[in-house]
Amino acid sequence: MLPFDPQTDYAEYLASEARTPNSILHEFVLLFDPNDGSIHIFFEGKDDFLFYPSFLRATIDYESAHIHNCKGKPVVREVKDYISRNGYPPNRFMFFVDRDFDDYLGCQMISDASTYITDGYAIENDLAHLDCAKILLSDVVGMRRTDPEYSMIIDTLAKSAEEFAKAIKPIMAWCIAMRAKGAILNLNNAKLNQMFDVFSDGVVKRKPNGFNNFVTATKACDVEVTVEELKRSLDLINSDEPKYWVRGKYALWHFELALAKVLGEINSQRKASALAPLPIPSALREHKLFELMGGRIQAPASLTRFLAGYA
């Protein structure tokens, strides 16, 4: 039961609640019409608006859909639970969330016909991928796969991604161990350029105080983890691909920087040979690759299967 009369004091209540489960539910209750057939889409956050709409438009009448920005996975979870409990028709809803660390923590949302969970940690992991680099080199930089530098760029990126995963792995294991103990972490506070060096030849090194800098920047509680707890977290992720445990925003930060570095090195070599430089997209330097490539990459196979249920 709603804690207010949606026809009288909705605006006042919504302003006070901001983006909470209650505010999203109130918004939904006012907009839901059992007879109009429109779909309600619940996104976890603003970045979803840069990624999913191009795929959704090819499947549903996106322009008539009701889009809700929940600003957090917990809100999506609570809204979904409310809708399920109250018997709304499941084919009228779509829920989109990131996988996060929740598989390792045993608290993952249930993936069903109305709920899409990213393959990797987050949608950014789908962008920080060699397939995305190939599309960018072709569509934006204007290279051909037969160009002599093309394979070198892809090989260097692959090496850099492997080295970055190795360098950040203990840090990600620490995050999981901390979260398992209920710790509060401000992961957005990490300044990765103070923790890692990324070079144009694919080498990535964690700075001498990189781990400690990360802990200082992100830790917002008194919780501590032991060496044994850290080792257990490492064992937990050891057999998984990095896309499952490297935070998406960190993976994308590395991808943008590594690609900019290798393109910069190639242009230095081209200049020395009196050749025209390759155009380097400003999105790489400004860390706005999401905006540039979100609608260009191919939909993950899991997303295609999910959307097929609404076609």
Side-chain angles (χ1 to χ4, degrees), residues 239-287:
S239 60
D240 289 341
E241 296 177 48
K243 70 176 185 179
Y244 293 109
W245 44 262
V246 176
R247 187 176 187 241
K249 286 181 172 54
Y250 300 169
L252 190 58
W253 171 86
H254 163 264
F255 181 84
E256 292 169 330
L257 182 58
L259 185 52
K261 291 267 188 178
V262 69
L263 288 174
E265 176 61 24
I266 285 175
N267 280 346
S268 295
Q269 296 172 6
R270 282 184 162 228
K271 183 178 180 180
S273 301
L275 296 174
L278 295 173
I280 301 179
S282 60
L284 287 179
R285 295 193 181 94
E286 298 169 5
H287 293 288

Side-chain angles (χ1 to χ4, degrees), residues 167-189:
I168 202 172
K169 192 173 191 176
I171 293 175
M172 295 293 92
W174 176 83
C175 291
I176 293 170
M178 288 287 285
R179 285 278 174 82
K181 299 183 75 169
I184 297 173
L185 299 176
N186 294 326
L187 296 180
N188 288 332
N189 286 352

Side-chain angles (χ1 to χ4, degrees), residues 130-131 133-135 137-138 142-151:
L130 293 182
D131 288 343
K134 292 173 182 178
I135 294 171
L137 292 177
S138 173
M143 297 186 74
R144 295 171 297 181
R145 298 197 177 200
T146 55
D147 289 343
E149 296 143 330
Y150 182 92
S151 295

Side-chain angles (χ1 to χ4, degrees), residues 97-104 108 116-131 161-162 164-166 168-169 172 176 237-252 254-255 299-303 305:
V97 295
D98 291 340
R99 186 166 295 277
D100 301 323
F101 291 131
D102 290 354
D103 287 339
Y104 300 115
Q108 189 60 266
Y116 179 73
I117 302 176
T118 55
D119 287 338
Y121 182 101
I123 53 180
E124 288 94 339
N125 297 82
D126 290 314
L127 287 168
H129 192 276
L130 293 182
D131 288 343
E162 183 177 342
F164 179 66
K166 187 185 301 182
I168 202 172
K169 192 173 191 176
M172 295 293 92
I176 293 170
I237 65 177
N238 259 339
S239 60
D240 289 341
E241 296 177 48
K243 70 176 185 179
Y244 293 109
W245 44 262
V246 176
R247 187 176 187 241
K249 286 181 172 54
Y250 300 169
L252 190 58
H254 163 264
F255 181 84
S302 60
L303 179 59
R305 290 192 298 270

